[in-house]
Amino acid sequence: MSNDTSPNPSAELVEHAHHRVFIGPMPERVVVHTEAHARKHGHGLFHSAREEQAADDSQSVSHLLKEHAFTFFLRRGGKAENWGEAEEQSTLEEMMQRWKKSEWGSIWSHRQKQANQSSTFPGSWIGGSFEVGSVLGVNVLQDSASLRDRATDQLNRIPIQPETLVAGGDPDGDATRLAAQKSAATPVLHSSSVSGSSEPIATVSDASHASHSNSKSPLLETATASTSSPSFSGGQPKSKGRQVQYENDAPPATRETRCSQDVRISEVVSPRPTLPPPPSDKGEVVLRDRMLVRVSYTEEESPTPKFDEAQNRTARSLVYQDWAEFLVAWRHNRLELYEDYSVPGKEWITGHKHLAYVIPLKSPKTQLSLYSFVDMTFCLTCQPTSTRPNGSTLRWRFRKEKEGTNVFVFKLKCRSRAYDWTWLLWRYMGGNLPKAIEVRNPRLDTRVKIDIPSGPMDMEQLFKVFNRDNVISLCMDSLRAVNNWNALIEREILSGKTLELAWRVDTDLDWIWLEDDIEGKKRDWAVLCGLALRQSTSPAFLEIRLAEHYPDHFHLRNGKRLREPPAIEGYLERVKPNTQIKQQVYLTTHTGYLLSLPPTRAHPPTPPGLTPLNAGAKSLRAMEFQRGTMQLMDTIGVCDLKSILLIRRAFQAQPPHTHREKEPEADDIWFRLWSQPEERTVDDEEDQGGEEGLARLNDKTQCRMKRCFELLLKNGRVVRFEAHSRRVAVEWIERLRALVLYWKERQRVDAREEMDLAHSRRPRLTPRMHARVDDRELPPETPADAGGPMPALGWLYNWCVLDGCKSIIHGGKVYTRRGLRGQYKPVQMFLISGSIIQFRINPNSALHRPVHKKISLVDAYVCSGYLAALALPSGQYNANSGIAPRRYQDGLEADDAEEDMLFMVWYHPQGSAVDRAQGPLSTTPQALPKAITPLSAKRKILVCRTRSKIERDAWCWALNTEIEKVARAQKDRESRIRADGTLLQA
């Protein structure tokens, strides 16, 4: 744990990684097994360290060390501009010398000399504490070189500029026009122009006045340029041949008064993109997928043109059917919904599945809308249509069956696939592209508008301009004109972060991170498909944000920065209070939780020196991620670190059952208590540990007691553990205290951030109080603004979920019930690779025991909100019942309705989601089930309720993301699922 007020130096380019420390020695039997496995597969740096000639020869140093020599050089105090061959050679030599003198380097050398000798004590222990993934002082799990290349590439990338035109006056009336000549290397979509000019137009300023005048973000000065400015990058030339000049050579005074509120990239007036080619009239299938569909009917002609969750809550006289899985096929101008026959064998006789519904797409009464952005469900409303074709022409007769309207809500497994369906249907049904796409940057509180051509145009050319990378480059090229760019954005990019695009609706964020579909084909509309989301009562905004991982630090009230301490793990013995019986356990921490595992299924880390030589940082991180996932699957007990009241060293031989300690009310006393280091004595350092160390002492009872430490929990229970030695016990105490301190404060910070996000949707439940200040002298609090920048969304929808940085992808306390009935009970629920695991919370237990049934996310669906509430049995949900405001222990305040806190997981029981030989599902398709379940197969339902809507939405996003990963890991099986079942002949 470290407290500092200075930011990270820009030269320290560190990959986002969660550091982990193994505490104490490791059993010799584990080391022998790991060493044998390493020798079999040719792993390990210790082979070079054992042979003196090879150790001194620089040619024998592995490529892995050379990759990280530059990082070692920077951390030692070197400067990047001084890096060369001489510095690289000296750095490698120093790294090898450090390895030879290290504890584990000496162990491998000693074991090589005494390979045939047995240990004096059976079950002896070897080595000491080490950082997981650390070799020769460098953590090989971090890939600094790729970060430098990625940051440099993003800053220096030249975007594809659309051909533009300076014409007439500014439509806004007050825009500063900047005309930039194009580089010869810049691709041009069209060479024609209206007034003989083909120069791009851009206007620059902040958007705070346009969107919300009372924004928390400081107002940014309008960026102005002069004829001496060589480019948009604040004086730094971007590319050869590009310059900035003012239209009509306006004087400086005029430039400052003609400021706009947007950054605009205008294009030449060219033909509007045409619609995608219509499906063939021969009945060829355009798209087909399995979907979870909720069908309802109303006698009204048309409920609303934009039927979504908000409209559904107020709609009357809707008759609902239960959720069911259908095979949905798009053929020509209709959607066909197929289901299994209720009579066994009828599908074999007829040769096709039962056609349940038909939706005519070209009917003027058929409407498409986004139903829920949280679940990415879309809705189609249409007139009830016959499912019987005209026998003479084999064409469908779209005649009215009865009065009223059918309402179909479609839910796909993969979120990206739902985007594709919504976009293609929207375009086919006449959806028009807007005149411009607005891209917002919440960090700078600025907008960039990219104009879309006003006439027909080739879609391939349009997709070339509006692909993800090019839109990011266009925005970066324009945002460089903002004064705060270097301080707020470019500095973060140089430290390793990247800018990414995301669609946002209210407080829900969805990153644009998949440019290929589940079949590996290019999704050219990955950015533009979000335009179809505007068919809802809540607008969708396109944003360019820094791709942030879950924060690893926060600032205290005194301004100091508190960094996340490294996670810990190691072997201990739990001492039972009644019988004094010792039970060997393996403790490990993951994202604020203390896990207990049996030693036989501990999955310990690889000791330093046995790292695979040919494995890169990415594969090593994947191995570490898989190891953590296996630990979570084999956990037999979990304890929230925030529930630990005190960690103390044992001071009595007989371990107590309970305690009467109380947590200090004053924060400063509590912080000082947890921050103080454990007192060390000379006897602690002299204890050699194990049975060998006890054999040399007279007072063995006193030594064993000093090797113990106790966890005092908030429920009054006391848990005692005995370490290998007194020194190891002190290390456990100090590192656990640092973790408890951090995660308790982290919980409060997250609760404040969540309430700030909720404030954008409604006023605060408890107004802020100001000590010694007359409230009449203070300005009014900022009103709720759903269209505000909301920069705090980055930590809630963080890239750790997408990149797999942590073994616990998402976790927390939720309330679940068995099936659709029963009482809600609190559980600690973790989303891991391909599975959901739960631990039943017992207020009187020291460790929460796991729920043996683990839920596989293969073929699973997630649904939330009003439709999830309607799935509850009759009488369990009352839409008109209000919920009183609530305040939780961490300070979170919420008053969301019951349906806004509810989500459900529909799944098939498929056993464990981890194959012991292959690992997690999302990384090993060979471990996935081969059988395809029928459409009519019954599903089990996991009903969950969170504390607030924001927590519910974060859970749904993480679950949908993991389901997407699982589906993409089984491409062949997904293809067979989509192709399963014969359609009715057209």
Side-chain angles (χ1 to χ4, degrees):
M1 180 182 66
S2 62
N3 300 337
D4 62 88
T5 57
S6 61
N8 292 333
S10 59
E12 187 179 357
L13 303 176
V14 180
E15 180 91 22
H16 179 79
H18 298 270
H19 297 277
R20 177 171 294 275
V21 174
F22 178 85
I23 298 180
M26 189 173 289
E28 186 179 18
R29 65 181 184 276
V30 176
V31 176
V32 171
H33 175 75
T34 307
E35 186 178 11
H37 182 270
R39 287 178 175 175
K40 180 179 179 181
H41 294 83
H43 297 172
L45 299 173
F46 64 92
H47 297 291
S48 299
R50 290 173 183 170
E51 303 175 6
E52 295 183 359
Q53 294 181 354
D56 295 335
D57 187 2
S58 61
Q59 299 299 328
S60 65
V61 181
S62 68
H63 179 67
L64 184 65
L65 298 183
K66 292 183 179 181
E67 286 184 348
H68 296 274
F70 180 72
T71 304
F72 182 85
F73 174 75
L74 293 179
R75 292 182 175 178
R76 195 179 53 177
K79 297 182 179 180
E81 56 269 19
N82 297 333
W83 180 253
E85 294 183 1
E87 287 75 10
E88 180 180 7
Q89 182 67 24
S90 61
T91 301
L92 290 173
E93 292 177 358
E94 181 180 351
M95 294 171 70
M96 291 302 300
Q97 291 299 324
R98 290 187 56 175
W99 166 251
K100 293 169 64 176
K101 296 178 181 179
S102 65
E103 182 179 16
W104 280 95
S106 302
I107 288 174
W108 298 127
S109 178
H110 179 73
R111 288 179 59 80
Q112 176 68 14
K113 297 177 182 179
Q114 300 180 353
N116 299 326
Q117 298 181 9
S118 59
S119 303
T120 306
F121 287 84
S124 61
W125 298 72
I126 299 177
S129 302
F130 61 88
E131 182 181 356
V132 178
S134 179
V135 177
L136 306 183
V138 175
N139 195 314
V140 297
L141 301 178
Q142 301 174 2
D143 191 358
S144 300
S146 64
L147 277 178
R148 292 195 306 273
D149 297 341
R150 185 171 53 186
T152 304
D153 178 68
Q154 190 174 50
L155 286 174
N156 297 333
R157 183 182 300 152
I158 300 177
I160 298 177
Q161 295 279 357
E163 197 171 24
T164 58
L165 171 68
V166 179
D170 183 75
D172 297 329
D174 60 348
T176 301
R177 293 182 176 276
L178 304 178
Q181 294 181 355
K182 285 191 174 299
S183 170
T186 304
V188 179
L189 298 182
H190 294 276
S191 59
S192 61
S193 62
V194 177
S195 61
S197 175
S198 60
E199 299 173 338
I201 305 172
T203 58
V204 183
S205 77
D206 75 278
S208 57
H209 294 290
S211 58
H212 50 290
S213 58
N214 295 325
S215 174
K216 298 180 183 178
S217 302
L219 296 179
L220 305 179
E221 296 182 6
T222 301
T224 59
S226 63
T227 54
S228 60
S229 300
S231 70
F232 280 1
S233 57
Q236 300 296 329
K238 179 65 180 173
S239 60
K240 182 178 181 180
R242 299 184 62 185
Q243 61 182 0
V244 176
Q245 61 184 10
Y246 282 91
E247 181 193 13
N248 300 328
D249 197 18
T254 306
R255 301 168 203 156
E256 295 181 1
T257 58
R258 298 168 60 189
C259 297
S260 173
Q261 296 177 355
D262 305 315
V263 178
R264 180 179 293 271
I265 301 174
S266 302
E267 299 178 337
V268 68
V269 178
S270 56
R272 177 168 293 278
T274 58
L275 294 172
S280 173
D281 196 23
K282 299 179 180 180
E284 297 179 358
V285 176
V286 181
L287 286 174
R288 60 181 288 171
D289 268 296
R290 282 193 175 189
M291 305 183 193
L292 206 62
V293 185
R294 187 74 185 257
V295 185
S296 55
Y297 170 78
T298 179
E299 295 181 355
E300 300 179 5
E301 285 297 327
S302 179
T304 176
K306 295 183 179 181
F307 190 85
D308 58 7
E309 186 176 13
Q311 296 293 334
N312 194 8
R313 296 185 185 189
T314 59
R316 297 183 178 181
S317 67
L318 274 175
V319 180
Y320 298 94
Q321 296 184 10
D322 293 334
W323 282 103
E325 191 173 26
F326 289 88
L327 173 61
V328 182
W330 178 3
R331 295 201 294 188
H332 188 45
N333 58 352
R334 64 184 180 272
L335 287 188
E336 303 170 9
L337 280 68
Y338 291 88
E339 62 183 359
D340 289 339
Y341 283 101
S342 58
V343 178
K346 190 172 182 179
E347 179 178 348
W348 178 79
I349 297 174
T350 59
H352 58 79
K353 289 188 175 295
H354 176 248
L355 180 60
Y357 300 97
V358 172
I359 303 176
L361 298 180
K362 284 301 183 180
S363 172
K365 294 187 178 182
T366 302
Q367 301 289 336
L368 170 70
S369 61
L370 174 68
Y371 183 84
S372 173
F373 181 75
V374 177
D375 301 326
M376 200 53 216
T377 49
F378 63 92
C379 176
L380 281 169
T381 59
C382 68
Q383 204 170 30
T385 306
S386 173
T387 60
R388 293 170 296 176
N390 188 329
S392 60
T393 62
L394 292 180
R395 295 182 179 270
W396 294 93
R397 182 189 309 163
F398 294 143
R399 60 182 179 84
K400 184 169 60 177
E401 284 289 290
K402 56 182 178 180
E403 300 292 336
T405 304
N406 283 344
V407 181
F408 301 88
V409 179
F410 298 88
K411 168 62 183 176
L412 285 92
K413 289 187 301 183
C414 297
R415 196 175 180 92
S416 64
R417 193 73 173 174
Y419 270 105
D420 297 344
W421 272 87
T422 307
W423 161 258
L424 294 175
L425 285 173
W426 177 67
R427 292 292 289 156
Y428 180 74
M429 296 173 66
N432 294 321
L433 299 178
K435 296 181 179 180
I437 295 180
E438 181 181 271
V439 187
R440 303 185 177 188
N441 181 263
R443 181 66 65 93
L444 297 176
D445 200 6
T446 307
R447 298 177 299 173
V448 177
K449 286 187 177 180
I450 307 176
D451 290 350
I452 297 180
S454 58
M457 174 185 175
D458 184 70
M459 291 296 293
E460 183 178 353
Q461 294 177 333
L462 183 69
F463 291 149
K464 184 182 295 185
V465 176
F466 287 95
N467 66 68
R468 184 181 68 167
D469 292 338
N470 196 62
V471 171
I472 293 175
S473 299
L474 286 171
C475 293
M476 292 176 63
D477 194 50
S478 299
L479 291 175
R480 284 188 174 92
V482 180
N483 291 342
N484 291 26
W485 163 265
N486 291 333
L488 298 179
I489 302 296
E490 187 164 355
R491 185 169 179 269
E492 297 290 342
I493 294 177
L494 289 174
S495 67
K497 295 183 180 180
T498 58
L499 283 171
E500 298 291 347
L501 298 175
W503 285 98
R504 177 173 71 85
V505 175
D506 294 334
T507 57
D508 301 312
L509 199 69
D510 192 22
W511 295 99
I512 302 174
W513 64 294
L514 296 172
E515 295 185 285
D516 296 331
D517 63 10
I518 195 172
E519 297 176 346
K521 300 178 181 178
K522 195 71 173 177
R523 299 175 64 239
D524 296 323
W525 50 80
V527 176
L528 291 176
C529 65
L531 297 176
L533 306 182
R534 297 181 178 179
Q535 309 305 308
S536 175
T537 55
S538 298
F541 303 105
L542 181 61
E543 296 184 340
I544 180 169
R545 289 173 168 266
L546 285 170
E548 300 184 65
H549 291 260
Y550 187 77
D552 58 357
H553 70 276
F554 58 86
H555 289 86
L556 302 172
R557 296 179 180 177
N558 57 7
K560 290 186 177 181
R561 175 181 295 180
L562 186 63
R563 291 189 176 278
E564 179 183 350
I568 57 177
E569 58 183 300
Y571 292 89
L572 291 171
E573 289 183 330
R574 182 177 178 181
V575 183
K576 298 297 183 65
N578 293 328
T579 61
Q580 296 292 303
I581 296 177
K582 298 179 182 179
Q583 178 187 7
Q584 192 176 38
V585 296
Y586 189 90
L587 292 188
T588 179
T589 61
H590 286 275
T591 318
Y593 296 94
L594 182 65
L595 311 179
S596 174
L597 296 91
T600 55
R601 298 198 302 271
H603 311 286
T606 302
L610 298 183
T611 306
L613 295 177
N614 298 325
K618 184 176 181 180
S619 60
L620 292 176
R621 286 196 302 271
M623 293 169 59
E624 185 64 18
F625 172 82
Q626 177 177 330
R627 187 179 71 87
T629 302
M630 301 295 288
Q631 286 183 338
L632 288 162
M633 293 294 294
D634 291 329
T635 297
I636 59 176
V638 64
C639 174
D640 193 340
L641 289 177
K642 298 180 287 292
S643 66
I644 299 177
L645 185 64
L646 188 66
I647 301 175
R648 70 186 181 189
R649 201 168 185 179
F651 61 90
Q652 50 187 340
Q654 185 73 17
H657 293 267
T658 59
H659 68 88
R660 296 183 179 181
E661 297 288 341
K662 300 295 182 180
E663 189 170 10
E665 297 181 359
D667 292 343
D668 55 344
I669 298 177
W670 175 84
F671 189 87
R672 187 168 60 252
L673 177 66
W674 281 93
S675 300
Q676 62 184 2
E678 180 65 20
E679 181 180 356
R680 296 174 181 265
T681 63
V682 178
D683 295 336
D684 294 339
E685 300 298 330
E686 293 179 351
D687 184 13
Q688 297 182 3
E691 296 296 332
E692 184 179 358
L694 286 176
R696 301 179 180 181
L697 300 177
N698 295 327
D699 193 352
K700 296 181 176 57
T701 303
Q702 178 70 13
C703 182
R704 286 190 179 277
M705 184 187 68
K706 288 298 182 179
R707 290 180 179 180
C708 297
F709 64 93
E710 297 172 345
L711 307 182
L712 279 63
L713 306 181
K714 289 184 178 181
N715 59 7
R717 299 293 299 274
V718 177
V719 186
R720 174 178 285 193
F721 295 98
E722 181 177 333
H724 180 262
S725 65
R726 298 171 66 165
R727 178 174 52 83
V728 174
V730 173
E731 186 176 0
W732 270 99
I733 294 173
E734 292 179 345
R735 291 190 178 275
L736 271 177
R737 282 180 178 175
L739 285 166
V740 172
L741 171 64
Y742 176 83
W743 286 106
K744 282 190 175 183
E745 286 295 319
R746 177 85 258 174
Q747 183 186 37
R748 300 180 185 180
V749 172
D750 289 350
R752 289 195 298 267
E753 294 282 359
E754 184 175 335
M755 286 190 291
D756 289 341
L757 290 175
H759 175 51
S760 63
R761 299 170 45 246
R762 51 152 176 79
R764 295 183 184 274
L765 299 180
T766 302
R768 289 179 173 176
M769 305 299 294
H770 303 274
R772 300 185 182 90
V773 177
D774 189 356
D775 290 343
R776 291 175 298 180
E777 300 176 358
L778 297 173
E781 191 172 357
T782 305
D785 183 11
M790 300 184 194
L793 281 178
W795 71 264
L796 188 64
Y797 296 87
N798 58 82
W799 273 70
C800 290
V801 177
L802 304 179
D803 288 349
C805 302
K806 302 182 294 184
S807 297
I808 297 180
I809 299 173
H810 194 77
K813 181 180 178 181
V814 299
Y815 300 87
T816 64
R817 63 198 305 185
R818 292 187 177 181
L820 293 176
R821 292 174 173 81
Q823 184 179 1
Y824 285 101
K825 295 182 179 180
V827 298
Q828 290 287 353
M829 192 165 76
F830 298 140
L831 171 63
I832 62 174
S833 180
S835 298
I836 296 175
I837 57 176
Q838 304 173 69
F839 297 85
R840 187 71 64 188
I841 296 179
N842 187 347
N844 299 321
S845 63
L847 297 175
H848 307 315
R849 299 301 176 183
V851 177
H852 295 292
K853 181 177 63 176
K854 297 177 175 61
I855 298 175
S856 171
L857 294 180
V858 177
D859 299 338
Y861 294 91
V862 178
C863 179
S864 65
Y866 186 68
L867 285 182
L870 292 177
L872 296 174
S874 177
Q876 293 194 12
Y877 167 69
N878 184 4
N880 299 321
S881 63
I883 297 182
R886 306 170 302 280
R887 182 181 177 88
Y888 297 94
Q889 190 174 6
D890 59 356
L892 176 65
E893 296 178 349
D895 64 343
D896 299 303
E898 180 181 357
E899 63 269 19
D900 288 334
M901 302 181 295
L902 187 70
F903 70 92
M904 296 180 178
V905 181
W906 275 264
Y907 65 96
H908 288 302
Q910 295 181 1
S912 175
V914 172
D915 184 88
R916 296 299 174 187
Q918 303 295 342
L921 275 179
S922 61
T923 57
T924 54
Q926 56 266 46
L928 295 166
K930 304 299 182 182
I932 297 177
T933 55
L935 291 171
S936 57
K938 291 186 177 180
R939 293 177 176 268
K940 291 186 175 294
I941 302 177
L942 175 66
V943 184
C944 303
R945 190 173 68 182
T946 60
R947 302 186 302 174
S948 66
K949 181 181 183 298
I950 292 178
E951 289 186 0
R952 192 275 314 267
D953 295 347
W955 267 107
C956 292
W957 176 73
L959 285 167
N960 283 312
T961 300
E962 189 59 27
I963 292 174
E964 178 102 30
K965 292 179 184 178
V966 173
R968 288 172 177 266
Q970 48 173 354
K971 295 181 180 179
D972 295 339
R973 182 174 180 271
E974 286 294 316
S975 299
R976 290 191 290 111
I977 291 176
R978 287 192 297 273
D980 183 61
T982 305
L983 307 181
L984 186 65
Q985 185 177 1

